[in-house]
Amino acid sequence: MLLTSVSFVAVGGFLSTQIADALYDQRFDQFSAEATEALDETKAVFRDSSATDRGTTTRLVVDSISGLVGMDSDAPRQAILVQIATDEDLVIPTTGSQEGVTASMLPEDLQAAVATGQDVYWAPVVIPVTENGSTSAPGLAFGTQVALPPDQTPYALYVYYDLSTMQSTLDDIHRVLWFAGFVLLVVIGAIAWYVTRSVVLPVSYAASVSEKLAAGELQERMEVTGEDEVARLGVSFNHMAGSLQDQITQLAQLSQMQQRFVSDVSHELRTPLTTVRMAAEVLHDAREDFDPINKRSAEILFDQVERFEALLADLLEISRFDAGAAVLEAESVDIVQLAQHAIDGARPLAERLGSQVTIVSSETMCIADADARRIDRILRNLIVNALEHGESKPVEVHIACNPEAVAVAVRDHGIGMAPLEASRVFDRFWRADPARARTTGGSGLGLSIATEDARLHSAWLEAWGMPGDGACFRLTLPRHEGAELAASPLALPPSAVTHDVGRVVISEVESHRSGATPDPRGSHGR
């Protein structure tokens, strides 16, 4: 409507200008010819007059002025005689055919041109009062210089046309244009409202139905009426929704079957695995009595059974997450204490690899609402990964908190990882180098389970790495259950400079074996 209004104003202004110019140009030529002819005739009358005194000259002037008056209904013509220079002996005052009109209405440039030239000059004027009583009416004046007898005294003779009737006509045209524009604007607005409503309502309805579909109400469909393009859109939309529902249903069924299969297989494997584990333990305990080949076989069997058992436990945990059966049991816990507990659990691995694990924090206690079992599992997984890939270099556990959040960052200085690897490190069974084995025989699901545990807490679990400069994993927890995180108290990776002041070393795990070397089988498969 705004654009239409602007268009109407522009078109109306253009039409108004064209109409006014047409009216003016058409009549100007007529007025110019009439005025020139009348002024020339009057100039000849004054030139050929035999008046010898003031009275005769005055009567001649009055008669000539009266003769110049024209009563055209469209543009009445009036005349006025104006003295150019004052003469003490013979002075004919300003004489006009209309009362109330003086020489002041004539533009100064027109008067100057008439006073210095012999041609007929013209200019637009504003008539103070007209015959019909209009004030400040537009007009058009033509003037020339004449000589009054008997001394041929120079005077300026003007005729002017009253254009108030033409202006009134133009005003009427303007009013018609404004009224027609208003009516047309209302009509166009009504049409636009109807068309827009007929199009927007179905689109809004389709948007509402699509939102319901996105929310899981797959049975929602559009009501289709008519046979126009909008109806065709509704039919296509319903067909698309039906196809999506069928595919989503099939995928959901397949997913449920896969989850059930993994869960059932995992449960069914526990009993025979327990039997195999018992047999492996017996063989492992008696390995000293075996020959070297059988002894090594018993050790490998024991290690692989342990790895198989860990993989089975991780698969069961993943199946619980997939089935939505994982429940958060939050309580107030001390994150610093949990980190200490996780370090204690990783002590044997740290001693074997010759690494030092240090808690770096200015905090002695950070209380948060969390599931202690799940947070301990996350931290232990991160610390074990850092030790496994740290190449016997120190591992730092940074802890910081603020009123809204608690952050724990595990930083190693080992082989590191590229940014692309850091973005995929939380994927299930993902490994940067599949050819390299894991030191601890992990299942490849540890970080995936940690991610799910963090999601249950509405927490952030983020990774950073740089080849040759180590890696860092940061866990950020809200201090209160249900709160949303806005920022983390720790940078990623945390800067050692930020902990120079108030640095507190809470725990250290060092190797007591000199000359310990890292296991060469470490990889990015965290």
Side-chain angles (χ1 to χ4, degrees):
M1 294 298 291
L2 179 61
L3 292 175
T4 305
S5 300
V6 172
S7 301
F8 282 167
V9 171
V11 173
F14 175 75
L15 291 178
S16 174
T17 302
Q18 293 298 314
I19 292 172
D21 291 344
L23 289 175
Y24 184 81
D25 293 341
Q26 178 184 5
R27 300 306 300 272
F28 177 79
D29 295 337
Q30 176 186 349
F31 296 154
S32 178
E34 292 179 355
T36 301
E37 182 181 359
L39 290 174
D40 289 341
E41 292 178 355
T42 306
K43 182 188 294 187
V45 170
F46 289 152
R47 184 179 61 246
D48 298 337
S49 174
S50 58
T52 57
D53 54 29
R54 180 175 180 178
T56 304
T57 302
T58 301
R59 287 194 298 271
L60 177 62
V61 168
V62 173
D63 293 341
S64 299
I65 293 297
S66 299
L68 290 172
V69 174
M71 301 308 295
D72 189 345
S73 59
D74 290 339
R77 186 177 68 189
Q78 303 291 340
I80 184 173
L81 181 71
V82 180
Q83 58 184 357
I84 295 177
T86 303
D87 193 325
E88 297 293 341
D89 298 331
L90 180 61
V91 178
I92 301 297
T94 298
T95 305
S97 60
Q98 188 178 12
E99 294 183 0
V101 175
T102 62
S104 60
M105 77 172 188
L106 300 170
E108 294 182 358
D109 55 348
L110 176 61
Q111 296 188 47
V114 171
T116 58
Q118 298 297 321
D119 295 331
V120 177
Y121 304 93
W122 68 275
V125 296
V126 177
I127 303 174
V129 61
T130 63
E131 292 294 332
N132 58 11
S134 300
T135 58
S136 300
L140 191 63
F142 297 85
T144 188
Q145 187 178 131
V146 297
L148 296 184
D151 298 329
Q152 301 301 309
T153 305
Y155 274 75
L157 179 62
Y158 301 92
V159 294
Y160 57 91
Y161 292 86
D162 180 6
L163 305 182
S164 58
T165 303
M166 294 176 57
Q167 183 63 48
S168 177
T169 302
L170 188 60
D171 292 340
D172 292 339
I173 294 175
H174 288 167
R175 282 190 291 269
V176 171
L177 287 176
W178 280 109
F179 179 76
F182 176 77
V183 172
L184 191 57
L185 186 64
V186 172
V187 172
I188 292 177
I191 295 174
W193 176 83
Y194 174 76
V195 174
T196 304
R197 183 178 176 83
S198 62
V199 174
V200 170
L201 282 182
V203 174
S204 300
Y205 179 51
S208 175
V209 174
S210 65
E211 290 175 356
K212 293 181 180 179
L213 289 173
E217 301 179 20
L218 301 179
Q219 73 283 354
E220 285 291 326
R221 297 292 185 273
M222 289 183 63
E223 296 181 3
V224 179
T225 57
E227 298 180 356
D228 55 3
E229 287 77 6
V230 177
R232 291 178 57 191
L233 173 64
V235 172
S236 301
F237 184 90
N238 290 339
H239 178 71
M240 177 192 68
S243 177
L244 288 176
Q245 183 180 13
D246 294 340
Q247 294 181 18
I248 291 174
T249 302
Q250 293 176 3
L251 291 175
Q253 293 175 351
L254 179 61
S255 177
Q256 291 176 358
M257 292 175 61
Q258 292 175 341
Q259 293 173 11
R260 190 181 301 114
F261 175 78
V262 172
S263 179
D264 293 344
V265 169
S266 300
H267 280 290
E268 291 298 327
L269 287 176
R270 293 184 71 87
T271 300
L273 180 61
T274 302
T275 303
V276 173
R277 178 180 177 80
M278 293 175 61
E281 288 177 351
V282 172
L283 294 175
H284 187 267
D285 292 340
R287 69 184 183 280
E288 298 298 334
D289 299 332
F290 299 159
D291 59 78
I293 296 177
N294 291 330
K295 178 181 178 181
R296 180 56 181 167
S297 299
E299 291 175 349
I300 293 175
L301 175 63
F302 182 78
D303 291 340
Q304 293 304 314
V305 168
E306 278 193 339
R307 181 179 178 183
F308 188 23
E309 190 173 22
L311 175 61
L312 188 61
D314 288 344
L315 286 173
L316 283 172
E317 189 66 24
I318 284 291
S319 67
R320 293 190 189 96
F321 284 117
D322 291 341
V327 179
L328 184 69
E329 298 177 358
E331 58 182 354
S332 295
V333 296
D334 183 5
I335 302 300
V336 177
Q337 190 176 26
L338 287 179
Q340 177 67 57
H341 184 266
I343 291 175
D344 292 340
R347 184 186 301 273
L349 179 62
E351 292 176 350
R352 180 162 61 89
L353 296 177
S355 295
Q356 173 183 304
V357 182
T358 306
I359 293 181
V360 180
S361 176
S362 60
E363 307 288 344
T364 57
M365 180 181 295
C366 291
I367 304 298
D369 296 336
D371 189 328
R373 179 179 66 87
R374 297 183 185 277
I375 298 300
D376 180 76
R377 180 164 59 189
I378 295 174
L379 296 179
R380 184 171 304 193
N381 186 281
L382 298 182
I383 292 172
V384 168
N385 282 335
L387 289 171
E388 190 174 14
H389 301 86
E391 298 183 326
S392 299
K393 296 179 181 179
V395 174
E396 301 170 354
V397 179
H398 298 260
I399 304 176
C401 61
N402 58 30
E404 290 78 27
V406 178
V408 181
V410 180
R411 176 76 160 93
D412 67 71
H413 302 275
I415 57 179
M417 56 184 172
L420 178 60
E421 296 169 349
S423 65
R424 298 190 58 192
V425 74
F426 298 105
D427 296 345
R428 297 180 184 181
F429 298 108
W430 183 85
R431 297 170 66 186
D433 185 0
R436 301 175 67 186
R438 297 181 179 86
T439 302
T440 57
S443 64
L445 294 173
L447 287 180
S448 299
I449 295 175
T451 301
E452 298 294 339
D453 285 334
R455 186 177 294 114
L456 283 178
H457 288 83
S458 299
W460 297 344
L461 184 57
E462 302 159 284
W464 171 89
M466 187 65 65
D469 193 29
C472 180
F473 288 80
R474 181 181 68 183
L475 173 67
T476 306
L477 288 163
R479 299 197 69 166
H480 304 287
E481 185 178 3
E484 293 186 1
L485 292 173
S488 178
L490 281 176
L492 183 66
S495 174
V497 178
T498 59
H499 300 285
D500 287 345
V501 178
R503 177 186 175 104
V504 178
V505 178
I506 298 180
S507 174
E508 291 186 355
V509 178
E510 297 180 341
S511 171
H512 298 285
R513 297 186 302 171
S514 61
T517 58
D519 194 317
R521 295 175 296 170
S523 73
H524 292 300
R526 298 174 177 263

